[in-house]
Amino acid sequence: MKGIGILVSSTVALSASGVVATALQVSKRDTPPVSVSGNAFFAGDKRFYIRGVDYQPGGSSDIADPIADVDGCKRDIKQFTSLGINTIRVYTVDNTADHDECMNLLKDAGIYLVLDVNTPKYSLNRKEPDASYNDVYLQNIFATIDAFANYDNTLAFFSGNEVINDAKTTDCAPYVKAVTRDMRQYIGSMGYRKIPVGYSAADVSQNRKQMAAYMNCGTDDERSDFFAFNDYSWCDPSTFTKSGWDQKVKTFEDYSIPLFLSEFGCNTNERQFNEISALYSEKMSGVFSGGLVYEYSQEPSDYGLVRVSGSSVSPLKDFQALKKAYAAQDDPSGDGGYKKSGKASTCPQKSANWDVDTTSLPAIPEPAKAYMAKGAGKGAGLKGSGSQNAGTASSGTATAGSGQITATATGANKPGAAAGLRVPELSFTYFACGSVVLASSLLGSILL
């Protein structure tokens, strides 16, 4: 991090006068890296439940990187802390920007990041998934991984968001799964810690179960680390059974990887967030690991918890309702009844709502193989020319197991190696230093 050398050398001269004590904001909370065990997340040896919000101020009409906006982070982290959350999801970032300060502020507040690696110009195109799955696209999302992999409070990466949004777009599934495979392989090849990678599915009942099974079937290198889906079926006033959430638990009771809601919070009626009492109870904790409420800031879709205006934030009625709901429901005690082990899912058969008739995946585009050995290099940021009609596409079918990590890359862990470095805490001895589906789709993986 910038300024480390200055702070270290200054320590010698400052003595114990008290000036040192005010030179650094001491971290008050711990964010141990989150890992996967069985069908659950763990922070250290403690079961971790995602209690969070989806966070993209400005929405799809004003695409910007909120983790590069230090003033915005300071403004909003106060609200995150008041709300009582431990996670935010961000749909779009600039992989050329500096994220150190915001990520460390989030860390100090005990808040993790779940990050979508796609941007509007660098994403799969559901109309042409084969052409848009190319080396230029992969280079940019790998560069995003480089930018965030060394932060302890990077909880997970989304490989895609709502790429499949109806029964007619399931032919995109092999490409979504290939991207997930490639991201996992890149993380391993770079020598990063094993940051979970998974997919955020649309609220489409016709093929949600098939997509979940598909992302968890096949060889280990092809399987996701977790699966998430957007769900707006609990509309207050409702109940665990009336909403159908009891059936979702039953549907996924044998699912062997972590499962959570990447968006929830129906606004058909006044939102009371009564679903919080179910989601974080033992009725669901054996299958689900929490979720993310849509969304933090008020945008045209009218799901906001707060209204943002410049440097000021005004909490709305939904903010108070969610804060009350979170405060009233603790996480289940112990391990929540998670499954310590399980087997891969069975790949779904082709049907009217699932147009995939093979378990084979596209091979990684030939030029992209070099990134596994040497790193991705600098990303394109938010001003790049885009990838959907650029680069070299896949030229064949992958061999099962081809996504396994066989070696650590040359110079591994060097891209973004300074990211996540932080000044150690002060000690006595030293001082070192449209619809919601459309709205969310426009953010996480805008598809033409």
Side-chain angles (χ1 to χ4, degrees), residues 146-158:
D146 289 338
F148 286 88
N150 283 308
Y151 298 116
D152 287 347
N153 55 330
T154 297
L155 192 163
F157 293 117
F158 279 132

Side-chain angles (χ1 to χ4, degrees), residues 201-223:
D203 190 3
V204 179
S205 60
Q206 296 98 318
N207 52 47
R208 182 191 300 121
K209 182 178 179 180
Q210 290 93 324
M211 188 61 181
Y214 184 72
M215 296 301 290
N216 189 37
C217 74
T219 56
D220 286 347
D221 64 299
E222 296 174 346
R223 296 168 60 201

Side-chain angles (χ1 to χ4, degrees), residues 109-410:
I111 296 172
Y112 292 86
L113 171 68
V114 176
L115 179 63
D116 291 67
V117 297
N118 294 281
T119 67
K121 293 181 180 179
Y122 293 84
S123 56
L124 289 178
N125 182 340
R126 67 168 64 95
K127 291 183 178 180
E128 295 182 303
D130 51 348
S132 57
Y133 173 64
N134 59 55
D135 64 305
V136 176
Y137 166 58
L138 291 175
Q139 187 276 333
N140 197 62
I141 65 173
F142 291 167
T144 300
I145 291 173
D146 289 338
F148 286 88
N150 283 308
Y151 298 116
D152 287 347
N153 55 330
T154 297
L155 192 163
F157 293 117
F158 279 132
S159 59
N161 177 61
E162 297 190 335
V163 180
I164 296 167
N165 64 354
D166 56 27
K168 298 179 181 180
T169 50
T170 57
D171 60 331
C172 295
Y175 297 93
V176 172
K177 191 169 180 176
V179 173
T180 307
R181 173 203 63 200
D182 299 343
M183 289 174 61
R184 295 176 73 239
Q185 184 179 18
Y186 185 77
I187 288 169
S189 297
M190 288 295 104
Y192 296 131
R193 66 179 171 87
K194 193 174 181 180
I195 304 169
V197 179
Y199 174 66
S200 172
D203 190 3
V204 179
S205 60
Q206 296 98 318
N207 52 47
R208 182 191 300 121
K209 182 178 179 180
Q210 290 93 324
M211 188 61 181
Y214 184 72
M215 296 301 290
N216 189 37
C217 74
T219 56
D220 286 347
D221 64 299
E222 296 174 346
R223 296 168 60 201
S224 290
D225 295 310
F226 66 86
F227 184 76
F229 62 88
N230 304 336
D231 187 283
Y232 294 88
S233 59
W234 186 308
C235 299
D236 289 320
S238 192
T239 65
F240 182 55
T241 53
K242 181 180 178 181
S243 65
W245 280 28
D246 61 328
Q247 295 305 306
K248 290 183 173 68
V249 172
K250 185 176 181 180
T251 295
F252 294 107
E253 61 185 357
D254 294 323
Y255 203 57
S256 62
I257 58 176
L259 186 69
F260 66 93
L261 302 180
S262 41
E263 294 177 7
F264 73 95
C266 169
N267 70 349
T268 300
N269 304 315
E270 181 178 342
R271 299 205 286 185
Q272 301 168 1
F273 295 105
N274 290 327
E275 62 264 50
I276 295 294
S277 63
L279 185 57
Y280 300 96
S281 74
E282 292 184 357
K283 290 186 292 188
M284 298 187 70
S285 62
V287 176
F288 285 84
S289 290
L292 298 148
V293 171
Y294 192 82
E295 64 181 321
Y296 175 72
S297 57
Q298 182 71 305
E299 308 298 342
S301 57
D302 198 31
Y303 281 83
L305 300 172
V306 304
R307 190 178 303 279
V308 177
S309 178
S311 62
S312 66
V313 176
S314 302
L316 303 175
K317 183 164 42 174
D318 285 357
F319 181 97
Q320 302 302 337
L322 181 59
K323 179 178 179 178
K324 181 179 179 181
Y326 274 141
Q329 182 63 43
D330 293 331
D331 292 337
S333 60
D335 63 21
Y338 87 106
K339 296 173 184 61
K340 296 178 174 61
S341 61
K343 60 182 181 180
S345 300
T346 300
C347 291
Q349 298 295 311
K350 185 174 181 179
S351 66
N353 295 319
W354 187 254
D355 189 22
V356 180
D357 59 2
T358 178
T359 59
S360 298
L361 300 180
I364 186 170
E366 191 64 30
K369 292 179 180 179
Y371 308 143
M372 301 296 178
K374 299 180 181 179
K378 186 177 180 180
L382 297 179
K383 296 181 179 180
S385 57
S387 66
Q388 293 185 357
N389 298 302
T392 302
S394 174
S395 60
T397 300
T399 303
S402 62
Q404 292 180 352
I405 313 303
T406 57
T408 301
T410 303

